[in-house]
Amino acid sequence: MRYMDVVRAGDGGNPTGASDDDTDHSSGDSLGEGDDNDDYHGEDSHGGSDDSREVVEESDSSEDEVAPRNTIGNVPLEWYKDEEHIGYDLSGKKIKKKERQSKLDSFLASVDDSKNWRKIYDEYNDEEVELTKEETKLIRRLLKGKAPHADFDPYAPYVDWFAWDGAKHPLSNAPEPKRRFIPSKWESKMVLRYVRAIRKGLIKFDDKPKEEPRFYALWDDSTPAERQGLAYIPAPKPKLPGHEESYNPSPEYIPTQEEINSYQLMFEEDRPKFIPKQHTSLRSVPAYEKAVRETFDRCLDLYLCPRVRKKRINIDPESLKPKLPSRKDLKPYPTTCYLEYKGHKGPVTTICTESTGQWIASGSKDGTVRIWEVETGRCLQVWDIGETIEEVAWNPLTEFPILAVAAGQDVFILDTGCGSHEQQKKIEELLHVEPQKATDDSDISASIVNWVRDDRHGGIRLKHFKTVTKVEWHRKGDYLSTLMPSGESQSVLIHQLSKGLTQRIPFKTKGIPVSTAFHPTRSIFFTATKKDVRVYDLLKQKLIKKLEAGVREISSVAIHPGGDNAIVGSKDGKLCWFDMDLSSRPYRVLRCHPKDITGVAYHRSYPLFASCSDDCTAYVFHGMVYSDMNQNPLIVPLEILRGHSSADGRGVLDCKFHPRQPWLFTAGADSLIKLYCH
């Protein structure tokens, strides 16, 4: 009876012990899953229970049931809400209601007593009942939709109590009902309903489908609904004859002999197709010599005339443009000219920034190589080579600030003096040239390049047999490649600085090479010819991929710092972006420059790339490459940098990014170097 009273009291309101939210997690007692076994048995093992009431042994006798304190019977409690009692006892005295605690007192009691969460208020008997652990377990199982007792198995195996084997009679041996042998009254009513619908024409049966006519008059004047064909288009009407086609036209329509002769000098499309002539009578008019030709042209007009009316779709051209992000969201990128480096007397053909970003080297057609301080524009050092400088390239290692210069048939490796005292000692040891040793390797030959000491400029001089146009350092700083376009099979050479050796690449270059590049992270080498870009694996010594640009002539190439993308500039003003994991064809072709593209460059850390051209401009683009292979690169044009002037038909000859800042350096034919900042 006590358990039923508790459940009945819980139906009137939310019992404190039957909700997870009201559980006091600060105490060790809770209605968790562990309460079913561990906590309860743990208390029994200590020999005591925390229940305030005595544990009474269960019995089936009705004498063990506790009589309810409320004696008003099964009537609504609202009738006694204004009274001070809740019934009468056996002696006829009123049973007074207990004073209810305030919310503050109940809160303080719950803080002091860790087992207060088990107590619930029985509104029917007006008393506070503390639940035992068995009762809390039963409530917990009921809230979860389980059976109250844990020993009940809801998934017990099914026991088939009826023995089917050897049964002589079925479960039901009743005779067949009479309704199974009488036609259904409701089915007959439904049949009558269908018959009436067919007679009224509400239900129709098409025995044969309508055949559409296979042929129809092409120039029929009937409406499309009548002939069920294509949209009606009137036949082109022939030109009606005028006064000049009369057999006896007026004199002003008859051309003179001079006009007839002038017709012969005109193009055939512009000549008049009919020349009027005058006849005395209609019988003297000869047969028209172009009658068959004009009849044939008329048939062609009828045959080739469009037969379908096409509805014109008005599309806004702006809606066809791709949705690109705003340029304000893609900052920083170079926009304004901040500094100019003046000192060269001829066009600046090449520039290169040092890996720390403090220095920049430049080469010019006046035969000088200059080292500039980036932030101040101060010229630190000048070398007079005496020949046109084709390429300058800094060593990528910060501990070896040395510079490679290509001029004529020589490559100079110069000590810039920009390092510390310890670095200068290492550079002197590195640039010390020893006599080359004879080897049996056919790829290494002393006859290709001579390594000699250059006392005039303080470095090493590599004497080639053809003009060197390109110098490129490897990422480790010990190897550099040189390019001789007219060197045929030995046009691309790789030099090892630490050993002083020269080796040609073990690949046959097809075509005239124009540029080379090392992969930023892997042992892969790029060779760009005038038509394509070939990708070689230096370890496996084989061709990996061939990138076909589809342009007139390739002029420059740059590799993305990630290594999976490349940009190629051409002499017809096209800039090609290659996604090498996607295809050997360009992912995007940008037609931005009207003249030759002279240089392209990627930024090392920012998603920027640029191109420069002979039109005296440099274009800056946003090129974001995502790590997700399913997402294509995002290319957004950002800025057009102007400021250089043209000299001898040439504009901007080279461009390079600052290694750490979003700055762009441009070298122009006007002997100026400009720095563009954000």
Side-chain angles (χ1 to χ4, degrees):
M1 175 63 71
R2 185 194 310 162
Y3 170 68
M4 294 306 295
D5 293 340
V6 169
V7 174
R8 183 174 55 195
D11 293 340
N14 189 11
T16 310
S19 175
D20 294 340
D21 296 338
D22 298 334
T23 303
D24 187 2
H25 295 285
S26 62
S27 64
D29 268 338
S30 63
L31 281 176
E33 292 293 338
D35 291 342
D36 294 345
N37 298 314
D38 298 338
D39 293 343
Y40 184 73
H41 294 296
E43 289 185 0
D44 290 346
S45 63
H46 289 79
S49 173
D50 56 356
D51 192 4
S52 60
R53 293 174 290 174
E54 296 182 0
V55 178
V56 182
E57 185 178 357
E58 295 184 359
S59 175
D60 294 337
S61 175
S62 60
E63 298 178 354
D64 295 335
E65 297 180 355
V66 179
R69 185 169 175 266
N70 192 338
T71 60
I72 61 175
N74 190 13
V75 297
L77 296 178
E78 294 181 355
W79 296 358
Y80 285 84
K81 66 179 181 179
D82 297 332
E83 302 293 338
E84 295 180 355
H85 64 284
I86 55 171
Y88 300 89
D89 58 4
L90 296 177
S91 61
K93 297 181 180 181
K94 294 182 179 181
I95 301 175
K96 299 290 184 179
K97 292 183 180 179
K98 295 182 180 180
E99 294 184 0
R100 297 294 302 274
Q101 287 184 343
S102 64
K103 291 187 178 181
L104 181 60
D105 294 338
S106 62
F107 173 73
L108 293 176
S110 64
V111 173
D112 297 337
D113 187 6
S114 61
K115 301 175 183 177
N116 188 66
W117 63 274
R118 289 189 181 183
K119 297 178 180 179
I120 61 174
Y121 175 69
D122 186 0
E123 186 179 3
Y124 183 78
N125 294 315
D126 191 25
E127 63 178 355
E128 198 175 48
V129 182
E130 184 176 352
L131 302 178
T132 63
K133 285 215 168 183
E134 291 182 353
E135 293 170 346
T136 55
K137 285 194 294 181
L138 290 176
I139 295 174
R140 171 68 70 181
R141 294 183 63 84
L142 288 174
L143 290 176
K144 289 185 177 181
K146 299 180 180 179
H149 299 283
D151 54 353
F152 175 74
D153 186 9
Y155 305 106
Y158 172 73
V159 178
D160 193 1
W161 55 272
F162 184 80
W164 295 93
D165 298 336
K168 297 181 180 180
H169 300 283
L171 291 177
S172 175
N173 201 13
E176 291 289 336
K178 185 178 180 181
R179 62 178 180 272
R180 296 187 182 178
F181 304 96
I182 300 176
S184 175
K185 177 179 65 174
W186 305 105
E187 288 182 1
S188 61
K189 289 184 177 181
M190 185 63 67
V191 171
L192 290 176
R193 189 183 303 171
Y194 284 142
V195 170
R196 290 169 186 168
I198 294 173
R199 289 176 179 175
K200 291 180 180 180
L202 300 178
I203 300 178
K204 297 180 180 180
F205 299 97
D206 295 333
D207 297 336
K208 295 182 180 180
K210 294 183 179 179
E211 295 182 359
E212 297 182 359
R214 297 179 58 188
F215 307 103
Y216 54 89
L218 183 61
W219 309 116
D220 190 9
D221 294 336
S222 58
T223 61
E226 294 177 356
R227 57 184 179 87
Q228 297 179 358
L230 299 175
Y232 170 70
I233 298 177
K237 297 180 179 180
K239 182 182 177 182
L240 298 177
H243 296 289
E244 67 275 3
E245 295 183 356
S246 173
Y247 74 95
N248 189 13
S250 301
E252 60 267 17
Y253 291 103
I254 301 175
T256 61
Q257 188 63 35
E258 294 178 358
E259 293 177 352
I260 295 175
N261 295 335
S262 64
Y263 294 161
Q264 303 298 326
L265 301 177
M266 299 171 63
F267 291 103
E268 187 176 357
E269 295 82 3
D270 300 334
R271 295 176 191 171
K273 297 182 179 180
F274 178 77
I275 300 176
K277 294 181 181 180
Q278 192 172 17
H279 302 277
T280 57
S281 62
L282 188 58
R283 291 175 301 187
S284 59
V285 177
Y288 184 46
E289 65 273 8
K290 295 183 180 179
V292 177
R293 179 66 184 179
E294 290 187 356
T295 305
F296 178 72
D297 292 341
R298 173 62 180 168
C299 293
L300 288 181
D301 291 341
L302 296 175
Y303 170 67
L304 299 177
C305 177
R307 304 179 187 179
V308 179
R309 291 186 184 272
K310 294 185 178 179
K311 294 183 180 180
R312 185 177 179 181
I313 303 175
N314 295 325
I315 300 176
D316 185 12
E318 296 295 330
S319 64
L320 301 177
K321 295 181 180 180
K323 302 293 183 182
L324 297 178
S326 175
R327 294 195 303 170
K328 297 180 181 179
D329 302 335
L330 303 178
K331 290 183 178 181
Y333 56 87
T335 56
T336 347
C337 181
Y338 172 72
L339 198 61
E340 291 185 356
Y341 304 89
K342 297 181 180 180
H344 286 288
K345 298 180 181 179
V348 183
T349 56
T350 174
I351 54 175
C352 185
T353 55
E354 195 243 347
S355 57
T356 61
Q358 186 178 2
W359 313 100
I360 181 174
S362 62
S364 173
K365 285 190 176 181
D366 59 4
T368 60
V369 176
R370 295 175 181 264
I371 304 294
W372 311 82
E373 190 175 8
V374 172
E375 295 184 356
T376 62
R378 178 174 61 94
C379 184
L380 179 69
Q381 198 167 355
V382 181
W383 291 278
D384 189 1
I385 305 298
E387 294 185 72
T388 300
I389 308 301
E390 298 290 343
E391 185 82 12
V392 293
W394 283 92
N395 192 301
L397 300 180
T398 56
E399 59 267 20
F400 292 106
I402 57 179
L403 187 67
V405 180
Q409 296 184 1
D410 299 328
V411 175
F412 299 88
I413 302 177
L414 306 177
D415 182 8
T416 59
C418 299
S420 61
H421 182 68
E422 296 179 356
Q423 292 177 351
Q424 290 299 121
K425 289 184 178 180
K426 294 181 181 180
I427 291 173
E428 290 178 1
E429 295 177 0
L430 183 65
L431 298 182
H432 179 68
V433 179
E434 295 181 357
Q436 294 183 353
K437 299 179 181 180
T439 58
D440 297 335
D441 194 352
S442 60
D443 291 340
I444 303 175
S445 176
S447 60
I448 301 176
V449 175
N450 293 328
W451 293 63
V452 296
R453 175 71 182 174
D454 187 12
D455 297 329
R456 178 185 173 188
H457 305 100
I460 301 176
R461 183 176 182 180
L462 281 67
K463 295 183 178 180
H464 294 68
F465 61 94
K466 294 290 183 181
T467 302
V468 181
T469 60
K470 186 73 175 178
V471 177
E472 187 78 18
W473 284 96
H474 190 263
R475 66 180 183 277
K476 294 183 178 180
D478 191 26
Y479 296 90
L480 74 155
S481 67
T482 58
L483 174 64
M484 298 176 290
S486 58
E488 297 179 354
S489 62
Q490 299 176 354
S491 58
V492 181
L493 302 177
I494 297 179
H495 311 277
Q496 187 175 4
L497 193 59
S498 59
K499 296 183 180 180
L501 298 178
T502 300
Q503 181 179 5
R504 64 179 180 86
I505 58 173
F507 315 110
K508 292 183 180 180
T509 56
K510 297 182 180 180
I512 301 176
V514 295
S515 182
T516 58
F518 284 100
H519 194 278
T521 56
R522 299 167 57 190
S523 58
I524 292 177
F525 191 71
F526 297 84
T527 302
T529 62
K530 290 186 177 182
K531 296 298 181 183
D532 52 31
V533 179
R534 297 175 180 268
V535 187
Y536 299 99
D537 191 337
L538 295 176
L539 295 179
K540 298 180 180 180
Q541 296 187 0
K542 67 176 184 179
L543 178 67
I544 300 178
K545 189 171 291 186
K546 179 181 177 183
L547 306 178
E548 298 178 359
V551 295
R552 186 184 68 189
E553 183 177 344
I554 296 175
S555 60
S556 54
V557 64
I559 311 301
H560 191 270
D564 295 333
N565 297 268
I567 51 176
V568 173
S570 66
K571 288 192 175 182
D572 52 359
K574 295 180 181 179
L575 181 64
C576 304
W577 178 294
F578 283 93
D579 189 348
M580 290 182 281
D581 292 337
L582 180 64
S583 172
S584 60
R585 295 282 184 177
Y587 163 68
R588 189 83 74 227
V589 178
L590 307 174
R591 297 171 178 84
C592 47
H593 294 282
K595 291 187 179 181
D596 300 356
I597 294 179
T598 55
V600 292
Y602 273 111
H603 200 286
R604 295 185 184 178
S605 54
Y606 287 90
L608 299 173
F609 68 97
S611 65
C612 57
S613 172
D614 282 336
D615 58 359
C616 301
T617 61
Y619 281 64
V620 181
F621 300 88
H622 175 86
M624 174 61 75
V625 177
Y626 300 95
S627 57
D628 187 5
M629 300 296 292
N630 296 326
Q631 194 167 4
N632 294 328
L634 175 64
I635 301 174
V636 182
L638 294 178
E639 194 72 26
I640 302 176
L641 304 178
R642 295 181 174 88
H644 287 278
S645 58
S646 178
D648 298 332
R650 304 301 302 274
V652 184
L653 302 180
D654 197 7
C655 64
K656 291 291 188 298
F657 278 104
H658 191 278
R660 298 181 180 179
Q661 299 291 336
W663 301 345
L664 182 67
F665 298 90
T666 58
D670 52 359
S671 71
L672 294 178
I673 303 172
K674 292 180 180 289
L675 168 60
Y676 293 89
C677 300
H678 60 285

